[in-house]
Amino acid sequence: MACNIIKPEVQSVKNSNEFVGIKIEEGSLKIFIPKVLRLSENEKIKNKELLLFLKSILLAKTIKNEKIQITDNDEVGEMWPIDSYIWLINDYLENGYYYNREKQISKNRSGKIDWKRTLKTVPIYSNRNLIYDKFVTSYMVASNDIVAQIYQLCLSHSLKKIGWAYNLNMYIDVQQLKTIKEMIHIINNELSSTFDDIKRFRYKHMLKVLKGIKGDRAILNRYTYGIKNYYYVFERMVDIFLNGIKEKSQYNPSGFWQIDGESKFQSSNLRPDTIYISQNEIFIIDSKMYSYGFTGLLKNLPNTDSMQKQITYGDFVKNNLFPEFKVRNIFIIPYDKSLDIFKKKDIFTKYYDNNLVYIGKAFVDWRNDRKQEHDYIFTFMIDFNFLLKNYNSKNNNFIKKICNHVNQNLNIMFSDKSE
């Protein structure tokens, strides 16, 4: 293995619709991250943070599985099975190269005695004792077969893509002797014929690596993995973190056309990011990856179009689905809690070291005469690093904190109106 270590060049992007991810070309490795992502100065910790961010991009696949429209241009390059890369690299660091070992049987004194086979041989009788003078032994020999070659290819592929996170070189001298389809078939056969748990783990991760390769060439000098419009991923992280309901399609209001008496044609529908239901309350949560989270500028908050969309969600749920329920609207924006611009704001004086802060509410001016509770969109910011590390954790404290804060504000606002 050569000693050519390529360290990543990290670039922050300001707009949520720009490419984020990783691009590897011969002699160059660049990682593009959202500006709101905060990186440690410690290189080892920073690499873990970068890996965590890159893994989050895979959430785009779960969005597609829910039949939400993401265009082909949003995903860029391959979708990397990063957990499998990590497993194979750790496996190599702990155990060295994997070789498919075979048991060899021999009639000599080297190796482990196979008593079952030995007792089937003809013994010597001496002084009424049975003496076995020819032991049958077994020992494992490495077989440098095609499985071992596929393993090395998968390991090389993993090191090229994320070896930088381990401060490892990114090259193993390996050749691709089979097509990707053939290699998948070989490893599937090995997987179905072994009961060794470690081998099964290894083969499953090798399959994920092979299936993640676009085209038929595993060995290239250029790789790209990432997404445009990372806000899809941010929406998904918030939805998981706040324990939103799984099936949201009934909450999608739709628009229609009817021309010249023909049957109506559905134009499109609106899709709320997160729906959380608590007893007789429905919270409609829209996750907005706006740049306010690193600029602190009021002009970078959600615009009037976004406000109107939230009000439309509220109207649809209240008028068409659950008129007996209380409906609340919420914006969630990512931010970097370490920035001085937020520490200096009076409103954040008691919040700035927390991971969730309330900043205020949005509303429009054309519904003054008939304002309802869902006409107000209460806005919170969540520390992006905290969300990235914890979105898979099942913790209801945060959604309860949000709900309680919204209800307290509404109780004060509407009790004042009734007086």
Side-chain angles (χ1 to χ4, degrees), residues 19 23 72-79 224-228:
F19 170 82
K23 292 183 178 181
D72 292 337
N73 291 330
D74 286 332
E75 289 184 9
V76 182
E78 304 167 333
M79 284 286 104
T224 301
Y225 159 79
I227 188 173
K228 295 178 181 177

Side-chain angles (χ1 to χ4, degrees), residues 392-404:
N392 272 319
S393 303
K394 298 299 180 184
N395 186 334
N396 287 327
N397 290 336
F398 282 85
I399 185 61
K400 287 179 180 178
K401 183 177 179 181
I402 290 171
C403 296
N404 289 339

